[in-house]
Amino acid sequence: IDTATEPMKSIIIIAYECCLRRSEILRIKQDDIKGFVLNVPLTKSGHQRDVPLTLRALKVLKNNSLPFKITASAVSHSFQRLCIKGGIMDCRFHDLRHTCVSRWARILNPNELRIVSGHRTLSQLSRYVNLKARDLVERINFDQQGKVRRIK
């Protein structure tokens, strides 16, 4: 991501932070942002959804002219070139969505995660979550304040 230029750098950050599809990112307008919530009026399923924004995503969106002026194919090609340049093989832009969902699955319950990802069922969501035991170690051993959990 460090070698990416704008608007690709911002687009990658938004995908990584918000679990958005490429088409959803490219249609974002300033009017879609209400505080820390992004309204996605048209999703792949044809439904609208609201997505909570991280501080990082909100900052990126506020500092860009929206909608992004780049085509979907240019995003895919630029991302592919960045991956190859970084030594990452067999990676697609959509993999950022999978990564984001798996990352948020470490701290959100399945129903909360469905809101972020826009999946309507848990079976749809489960195709995106790729957790391993090591991903849960911190969560089961430490509370929200970082103190060791005492299991009775």
Side-chain angles (χ1 to χ4, degrees):
I1 191 170
D2 292 334
T3 61
T5 58
E6 292 299 343
M8 275 306 296
K9 189 171 195 169
S10 293
I11 291 169
I12 291 168
I13 290 169
I14 293 165
Y16 180 77
E17 291 285 317
C18 302
C19 307
L20 292 171
R21 295 176 183 93
R22 180 186 61 188
S23 60
E24 295 168 344
I25 294 169
L26 296 179
R27 286 194 295 260
I28 297 172
K29 299 181 302 250
Q30 285 293 343
D31 291 347
D32 297 333
I33 304 165
K34 304 284 188 247
F36 280 90
V37 176
L38 171 69
N39 178 261
V40 181
L42 181 63
T43 64
K44 176 181 166 186
S45 64
H47 299 93
Q48 76 86 35
R49 81 172 193 271
D50 289 332
V51 177
L53 294 171
T54 63
L55 288 168
R56 185 178 186 203
L58 184 61
K59 181 179 178 183
V60 166
L61 289 170
K62 292 290 185 184
N63 290 327
N64 274 280
S65 176
L66 300 172
F68 291 105
K69 295 175 182 35
I70 186 170
T71 65
S73 63
V75 168
S76 295
H77 289 115
S78 294
F79 185 75
Q80 195 66 38
R81 282 193 304 275
L82 285 166
C83 288
I84 291 168
K85 190 176 181 179
I88 302 168
M89 302 301 158
D90 195 32
C91 187
R92 302 163 301 134
F93 186 82
H94 193 72
D95 294 334
L96 290 171
R97 181 167 159 81
H98 285 262
T99 301
C100 179
V101 171
S102 293
R103 208 173 98 245
W104 285 116
R106 294 177 189 151
I107 60 171
L108 300 176
N109 70 48
N111 285 318
E112 293 167 334
L113 190 56
R114 281 182 40 242
I115 291 169
V116 174
S117 70
H119 292 104
R120 295 176 104 41
T121 67
L122 291 176
S123 64
Q124 290 172 327
L125 177 63
S126 68
R127 290 190 305 243
Y128 277 77
V129 177
N130 300 305
L131 290 177
K132 299 194 178 344
R134 70 175 175 263
D135 298 322
L136 304 175
V137 170
E138 189 173 317
R139 187 165 179 203
I140 65 170
N141 288 299
F142 300 96
D143 65 17
Q144 291 177 337
Q145 288 77 36
K147 294 180 182 172
V148 175
R149 286 187 193 275
R150 305 238 183 253
I151 300 174
K152 297 175 184 181

